[in-house]
Amino acid sequence: MENNTLNRMDRVDPNLRDEMLAELFLDQMMNNFKKNKILEEIDQSLKNKNKEAFLRLTEELKSVS
């Protein structure tokens, strides 16, 4: 699948391709940042024995992953 996507990317204008790749990269970085932030908050909720926050954050994590 990735190979097929890369083959299609070769046919796209180089400037547009670079813009698309940069956008994909930034989206992935933002998702990683959000996921790590939620994981830190989950750790804190466990330390504080805050069940409500833990449940809310684990649900939020599912939507980011």
Side-chain angles (χ1 to χ4, degrees):
M1 172 121 180
E2 280 185 31
N3 197 12
N4 193 15
T5 302
L6 291 175
N7 287 338
R8 279 188 257 141
M9 291 293 285
D10 288 339
R11 292 183 245 142
V12 175
D13 176 80
N15 291 330
L16 181 58
R17 184 186 65 222
D18 291 346
E19 184 179 329
M20 291 167 63
L21 289 173
E23 189 172 333
L24 288 170
F25 175 78
L26 289 174
D27 285 345
Q28 185 63 48
M29 290 296 101
M30 287 299 296
N31 280 342
N32 289 345
F33 177 81
K34 289 177 187 176
K35 185 176 179 179
N36 287 332
K37 186 71 175 159
I38 294 169
L39 288 170
E40 288 175 9
E41 291 178 22
I42 287 173
D43 286 345
Q44 191 62 42
S45 71
L46 289 170
K47 287 177 187 175
N48 294 338
K49 298 179 182 176
N50 185 339
K51 183 178 179 179
E52 293 81 17
F54 173 80
L55 294 174
R56 178 180 50 80
L57 290 163
T58 53
E59 285 302 312
E60 191 175 333
L61 182 61
K62 289 177 189 177
S63 70
V64 174
S65 298

